[in-house]
């Protein structure tokens, strides 16, 4: 303990305050975890990153993930919670908020922030330190039926990601009976148009600029080669 520590204080917190904080933490662990408690000001939470910040190196640096997750994703969570506070959207599940505000000009701020929370959570899961390679058999078969081959599907994804003008996302989706590749601008999400997302790649500059500067196609190629999480896409496909 610090020699200057005041009596009755632990790291500047009074003992009473410390006990209150400790019991709040204990309660949080029985009601869904610390993150739920940490974002108690609103119903939208910043989910845990599924891997350490440096786990995607060398394709995506820890520095990029640190900003992307810790500043951008967190920022969307904070803004979305502020914007829904006191409205009828306050206690809705995130996906419902996205659906309820899509295409509504007077709800654009809420949509943009809520959809960006959803999109980023989905993006982290779309990547894996052990990604790349071949998709599981059932998904691969469907990809071959829809695109002709895995390679054609990868080319379409790479092209969609490279050609999305400005900020946005490239997606592998299930649309009716087939798989498709689509791209969306800004915070848009294909689920608002009745499609089921299986996988996404963030092509906002904040996703790659520190590591690749203006070379977006190199970032996309490396992600598709080394990080893309086919297991996650296959889980979503199985639920579609
Ligand atoms: Fe992003």
């Amino acid at each position: 303990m610090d020699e200057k520590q005041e009596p009755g204080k632990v790291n500047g917190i009074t003992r009473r305050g410390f006990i209150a904080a400790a019991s709040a933490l204990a309660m949080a662990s029985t009601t869904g975890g610390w993150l739920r408690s940490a974002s108690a000001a609103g119903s939208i939470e910043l989910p845990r990153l599924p891997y350490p910040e440096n786990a995607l190196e060398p394709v995506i640096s820890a520095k990029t993930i640190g900003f992307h997750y810790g500043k951008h994703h967190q920022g969307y969570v904070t803004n979305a919670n502020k914007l829904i506070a006191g409205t009828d959207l306050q206690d809705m599940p995130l996906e419902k908020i996205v659906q309820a505000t899509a295409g509504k000009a007077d709800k654009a701020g809420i949509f943009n922030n809520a959809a960006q929370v959803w999109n980023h959570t989905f993006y982290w899961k779309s990547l894996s330190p052990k990604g790349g390679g071949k998709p599981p058999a059932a998904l691969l078969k469907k990809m071959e039926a829809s695109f002709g081959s895995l390679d054609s599907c990868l080319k379409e994804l790479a092209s969609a990601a490279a050609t999305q003008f400005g900020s946005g996302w490239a997606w592998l989706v299930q649309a009716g009976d087939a798989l498709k590749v689509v791209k969306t601008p800004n915070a848009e999400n294909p689920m608002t148009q009745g499609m089921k997302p299986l996988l996404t790649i963030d092509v906002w500059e904040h996703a790659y600029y520190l590591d690749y500067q203006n070379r977006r196609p190199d970032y996309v190629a490396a992600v598709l080669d080394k990080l893309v999480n086919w297991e996650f896409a296959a889980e979503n496909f199985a639920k579609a």
Side-chain angles (χ1 to χ4, degrees), residues 68 72-73 76 116 120 123-124 169 202-204 206-207:
H68 199 175
H72 292 274
H73 197 176
Y76 296 126
Q116 282 293 79
H120 281 89
Y123 170 63
W124 303 130
W169 302 83
D202 187 343
V203 297
W204 283 59
H206 63 226

Side-chain angles (χ1 to χ4, degrees), residues 121-136:
T121 301
F122 197 77
Y123 170 63
W124 303 130
K125 292 178 180 174
S126 296
L127 306 177
S128 163
K130 294 178 179 162
K134 271 197 169 183

